[in-house]
Amino acid sequence: METYVKLKCHPFVDAVAALRFENCFNPYIDRCKVHDVPDAPHRRAAMLSALIEKATLAPVDAIWIGRDLGYRGGRRTGLALTDDVHMLRHGQRWDVPLEKPTKGDAVAERTASVIWDVLDLIEDRVFLWNVFPLHPHEAGDPFTNRTHNARERRAGQELLSVLVDLLKPRRVVAIGNNAAQAAERLDLSKVPVIKVRHPSYGGQADFLREIAILYKLPRKQPALF
């Protein structure tokens, strides 16, 4: 893993890029020697900065928050709940050009696939984020996923609070228990937190049903049922 000098980005992205924890990959400053193109950290930081800028221009319906970046998804793209396969759709949703930061064929992530199947049916402005915005992995094995620890969670919660103040969403949709617990620890008295089931570990049907109800989606949509 190599570390790069940060580009001039949105201050929020600078704050995320400044996070350093043991056994964590920061996609906005670190480069994976196996999968990344030479300027991958710069590309990921620039893309996130552009998305933040666009999201601040008009009201956001919701911030959807997951747990942390996964090695098949956000570690590669730098985008929460988004894998290689859905990266361009993420950019199109915000009218922001995105440039693939990795080499080779696109890698799919199951959770990202479920998230984007339903997002494609929603027109509301939804911003995707995680409780912990880096990729935590097992010691000595960067291509694994682990749950972030308490210290990492506290750092992520501080940034989540800043993001909520910045984007002023109408609501926060917490995907899974970890996300819900983190959101509930924040002082979000003016922003309702709505918990939905995480789509992994047998929760896909519940997640899709709860999102369909929340966004009043037609039940006949093939992507949902």
Side-chain angles (χ1 to χ4, degrees):
M1 183 177 71
E2 298 172 343
T3 299
Y4 276 59
V5 176
K6 299 191 296 292
L7 292 175
K8 181 175 176 56
C9 291
H10 190 283
F12 181 80
V13 179
D14 286 340
V16 179
L19 293 179
R20 306 302 295 171
F21 293 97
E22 188 176 6
N23 299 317
C24 284
F25 181 87
N26 186 326
Y28 316 106
I29 195 71
D30 296 333
R31 176 179 180 268
C32 173
K33 294 182 179 180
V34 177
H35 298 297
D36 282 350
V37 299
D39 64 342
H42 293 172
R43 292 189 186 190
R44 289 187 287 252
M47 291 189 299
L48 179 58
S49 189
L51 289 171
I52 291 282
E53 293 284 0
K54 271 297 180 75
T56 60
L57 295 179
V60 170
D61 172 73
I63 300 176
W64 287 15
I65 54 172
R67 192 184 74 185
D68 32 47
L69 300 181
Y71 78 94
R72 294 178 64 89
R75 174 192 171 97
R76 297 170 61 89
T77 65
L79 304 172
L81 302 168
T82 305
D83 56 13
D84 294 344
V85 176
H86 300 90
M87 192 189 80
L88 291 181
R89 279 151 73 181
H90 196 147
Q92 291 166 356
R93 188 175 182 88
W94 291 96
D95 193 25
V96 170
L98 301 185
E99 199 171 7
K100 189 169 177 280
T102 50
K103 302 176 289 188
D105 296 335
V107 174
E109 182 187 62
R110 180 172 176 78
T111 295
S113 296
V114 177
I115 294 291
W116 279 94
D117 278 348
V118 73
L119 266 179
D120 283 343
L121 305 175
I122 297 171
E123 295 183 359
D124 305 68
R125 286 163 57 88
V126 173
F127 194 88
L128 303 180
W129 196 243
N130 285 309
V131 172
F132 184 59
L134 308 187
H135 168 234
H137 56 80
E138 300 295 341
D141 193 349
F143 305 121
T144 56
N145 295 322
R146 68 168 172 85
T147 303
H148 57 264
N149 59 38
R151 180 167 167 259
E152 293 161 347
R153 185 195 68 233
R154 288 192 293 271
Q157 286 177 181
E158 290 179 9
L159 284 170
L160 176 58
S161 181
V162 171
L163 186 65
V164 170
D165 288 342
L166 184 65
L167 301 188
K168 297 177 174 56
R170 187 165 68 90
R171 52 191 172 178
V172 168
V173 177
I175 302 172
N177 291 329
N178 291 100
Q181 291 166 5
E184 288 164 0
R185 291 187 182 99
L186 301 179
D187 181 16
L188 301 179
S189 55
K190 297 181 180 179
V191 182
V193 176
I194 302 165
K195 176 188 172 184
V196 297
R197 177 75 183 269
H198 196 284
S200 64
Y201 305 110
Q204 179 173 336
D206 288 339
F207 168 77
L208 293 174
R209 183 179 63 253
E210 290 167 5
I211 291 293
I213 293 171
L214 186 61
Y215 283 89
K216 298 181 174 58
L217 299 177
R219 295 180 63 87
K220 293 183 180 180
Q221 291 286 354
L224 297 180
F225 302 98

